[in-house]
Amino acid sequence: MRSWTDTLRFAFQPVVNLTTGGVAGLEILARPESGDILAEARRDPELDGRLAVLAVRAAARQETLLPLHVNVFAGTLADLGGLIPLRDAVHAVGRLPWEVTVDVCPPYTYVPQNALLEAVGGLRGQGFRISADGVGDGDAPLRLLTDMAPDVVKLDASLLTRPAAVRAMRTLCDQLGALLSVEGVESEAQCAAARSAGAQLAQGELFAPPSRLPRADVYVPPRSPGVPATPRQGPSVREFVRPAALLPATASAAQVRALLTGSPEVSGILLVDRDGVPVRSVHRSRFLLSMSGRYGHALYADRPAARLGDAPRTVGVDATAWEVLDVVAVGGRGRTSDDVAVVDRYGRCVGVVRLADLVRALAESRVEEAAGLNPLTRLPGSDAVTAEVDRRIADGLPFALSWLDVDHFKQVNDGAGFAAGDELIRSVGRALQQVASGRTRVGHIGGDDFLVLADTDALEPLAAAVLDAPWSAGGRPVTLSLASVLCAPGSVTDHREVAAHLAPLKKAAKSLNGASWVLGRAGLSGHEVRRGSVASGAQAGAGYAVAEPG
């Protein structure tokens, strides 16, 4: 009699790193020839646990070195606990638990949360990585998500039509130390949206459909010129992690040679101890050169490969790309092409990063940054400031956005000449840069207009620095106008709404005589005149008292 396992097959779909374009792992999907075994597994925890074990064995038969994603229902974990058979299966096929990510799948409704969290903690204690699947299109409570503290959060591609929600989830992932992944990406437009919203991983038909044979070759659309390559403050090493080729520290040189010759994409091998901690690093070219030399095979083949390795270079998963470059810079030049091992808080290897990936991304970041600088002041344009505005809105932080410009600038240019006008603009830009500190961001949006994003308590020093200074162009005295809008958490939804609040304040400031400063609050009518006097024959707009801008 045929068993249900006789008609069950598995398909593999790559999980793609959007920064490097490489495959970060393979999700294993059950594909029965008949029946809906997943619906049965949702109701039967024992069956679901058995599917997870069979998925690992199926991957082992394909001899793939890539990290694996194995699906398990949340109810199964709450019912069965730590999935000891899965751990035994992983060890039996020669894999390490931290090479396997358990995708915890919905539904979560009616699942005992304490039991689920205890099971997740048990899996993490065994070394497995955890992914929260179906977030944004399922029933995962936000509190449960934060309590799970997953390594990966998977969103459905349908959420890309709500970029603010995806950006907010990226912010949460950064706080949890997780990577953000998007599932079901089918078009280049969706891929661009995922990148723009901050997703680091993705999978879907666009990159590669599920297939019976694991594949490491995927299609990744080129990055749109309008999408920054990396965050300005320095990209996280998590964005560049590639799968690591791991062998036990006791592996022989012959075993290493067999792996390298059979896997041309592998640039090096890490030898790890029983806990998965890297102890030696074997570089592909140097190793094969030693083995191919005269008497090389006879000398080394049956001896430990560790003799032909070097001390591993490691960084933590929370490191930045710049910290990786610092690690690479230490030591001899001959090792600059070595992979750098990325380790978790237990010292276990979770992947490697390649110097070429870092240099390329950092170079792209600098090119994007330079392209956005105003050639006169070398300050970024409005895009950099408004992107930071959106980040602060998503983070629920209070802030103030100010618009500064020169009064009657056309007359300044006509009277003093454009050279004097340019020098005035450069001087204003330098003054803004000097007063900017901490979280203050300054942008030059063209002509004599500047944007300044700051914490609310930084407004007074900003106003004093630029409005109290004596400005002139070609010997002619010049005054500046400043308009500021205070935005409390929840008072605005995006930078466009902030700009709409700021526009009438700028108009009010320009209507005043002398150096002027007008202050308003998002969501409230009226404004306060902090500096400047009402022009003769004009009336001030409705105002209200604001004691301090904090």
Side-chain angles (χ1 to χ4, degrees), residues 444-464:
H444 182 190
I445 60 177
D448 62 323
D449 293 319
F450 294 86
L451 279 180
V452 184
L453 173 64
D455 291 336
T456 54
D457 57 3
L459 276 181
E460 287 286 357
L462 168 69

Side-chain angles (χ1 to χ4, degrees), residues 265-353:
E265 74 281 0
V266 173
S267 56
I269 294 175
L270 289 170
L271 305 179
V272 297
D273 64 15
R274 295 182 62 182
D275 295 322
V277 177
V279 294
R280 300 295 282 178
S281 173
V282 179
H283 185 267
R284 180 186 188 90
S285 298
R286 292 198 299 274
F287 175 84
L288 293 178
L289 185 62
S290 297
M291 288 291 289
S292 61
R294 192 175 185 184
Y295 308 121
H297 190 273
L299 287 172
Y300 302 116
D302 296 325
R303 298 189 179 185
R307 296 187 179 185
L308 295 176
D310 300 286
R313 292 173 166 178
T314 61
V315 295
V317 292
D318 296 321
T320 67
W322 296 110
E323 291 175 283
V324 178
L325 294 183
D326 290 339
V327 170
V328 173
V330 176
R333 294 184 179 180
R335 295 195 63 192
T336 54
S337 62
D338 287 21
D339 294 341
V340 176
V342 181
V343 297
D344 63 14
R345 61 193 179 99
Y346 302 107
R348 302 177 303 208
C349 180
V350 298
V352 295
V353 290

Side-chain angles (χ1 to χ4, degrees), residues 207-222:
F207 310 105
S211 60
R212 293 294 175 87
L213 296 178
R215 54 185 298 178
D217 56 318
V218 294
Y219 168 72
V220 181

Side-chain angles (χ1 to χ4, degrees), residues 217-548:
D217 56 318
V218 294
Y219 168 72
V220 181
R223 184 181 296 274
S224 168
V227 179
T230 50
R232 290 173 59 84
Q233 68 271 21
S236 167
V237 72
R238 295 172 183 267
E239 299 182 31
F240 303 93
V241 174
R242 290 177 175 267
L246 305 177
L247 283 177
T250 55
S252 68
Q255 290 175 290
V256 170
R257 184 177 184 275
L259 195 159
L260 290 175
T261 54
S263 306
E265 74 281 0
V266 173
S267 56
I269 294 175
L270 289 170
L271 305 179
V272 297
D273 64 15
R274 295 182 62 182
D275 295 322
V277 177
V279 294
R280 300 295 282 178
S281 173
V282 179
H283 185 267
R284 180 186 188 90
S285 298
R286 292 198 299 274
F287 175 84
L288 293 178
L289 185 62
S290 297
M291 288 291 289
S292 61
R294 192 175 185 184
Y295 308 121
H297 190 273
L299 287 172
Y300 302 116
D302 296 325
R303 298 189 179 185
R307 296 187 179 185
L308 295 176
D310 300 286
R313 292 173 166 178
T314 61
V315 295
V317 292
D318 296 321
T320 67
W322 296 110
E323 291 175 283
V324 178
L325 294 183
D326 290 339
V327 170
V328 173
V330 176
R333 294 184 179 180
R335 295 195 63 192
T336 54
S337 62
D338 287 21
D339 294 341
V340 176
V342 181
V343 297
D344 63 14
R345 61 193 179 99
Y346 302 107
R348 302 177 303 208
C349 180
V350 298
V352 295
V353 290
R354 295 179 180 175
L355 179 62
D357 290 336
L358 299 184
V359 172
R360 185 183 306 111
L362 293 175
E364 288 176 353
S365 177
R366 289 296 175 85
V367 169
E368 291 285 346
E369 181 179 344
L373 297 181
N374 187 285
L376 185 62
T377 58
R378 307 305 296 166
L379 288 171
S382 60
D383 287 348
V385 177
T386 54
E388 180 63 20
V389 167
D390 285 335
R391 278 193 287 270
R392 296 197 190 187
I393 292 172
D395 290 345
L397 299 174
F399 63 89
L401 186 65
S402 299
W403 193 326
L404 176 77
D405 70 352
V406 178
D407 294 328
H408 311 295
F409 184 63
K410 185 178 185 303
Q411 297 177 21
V412 172
N413 267 345
D414 291 343
F418 71 86
D422 285 352
E423 182 54 38
L424 173 63
I425 296 301
R426 280 192 288 265
S427 298
V428 173
R430 285 193 295 268
L432 289 173
Q433 286 179 297
Q434 289 171 1
V435 74
S437 61
R439 291 161 47 84
T440 301
R441 299 288 181 267
V442 179
H444 182 190
I445 60 177
D448 62 323
D449 293 319
F450 294 86
L451 279 180
V452 184
L453 173 64
D455 291 336
T456 54
D457 57 3
L459 276 181
E460 287 286 357
L462 168 69
V466 295
L467 299 181
D468 292 346
W471 297 103
S472 64
R476 300 165 180 260
V478 174
T479 58
L480 308 181
S481 293
L482 180 67
S484 303
V485 59
L486 303 179
C487 299
S491 62
V492 288
T493 57
D494 61 20
H495 70 270
R496 297 175 185 84
E497 189 174 346
V498 180
H501 286 300
L502 191 56
L505 299 177
K506 179 191 176 186
K507 183 177 180 181
K510 298 298 288 184
S511 70
L512 301 175
N513 285 331
S516 61
W517 179 21
V518 167
L519 180 70
R521 293 179 182 271
L524 297 180
S525 60
H527 60 265
E528 178 191 2
V529 176
R530 284 295 183 93
R531 302 203 184 188
S533 59
V534 177
S536 176
Q539 294 190 7
Y544 58 85
V546 181
E548 292 293 338

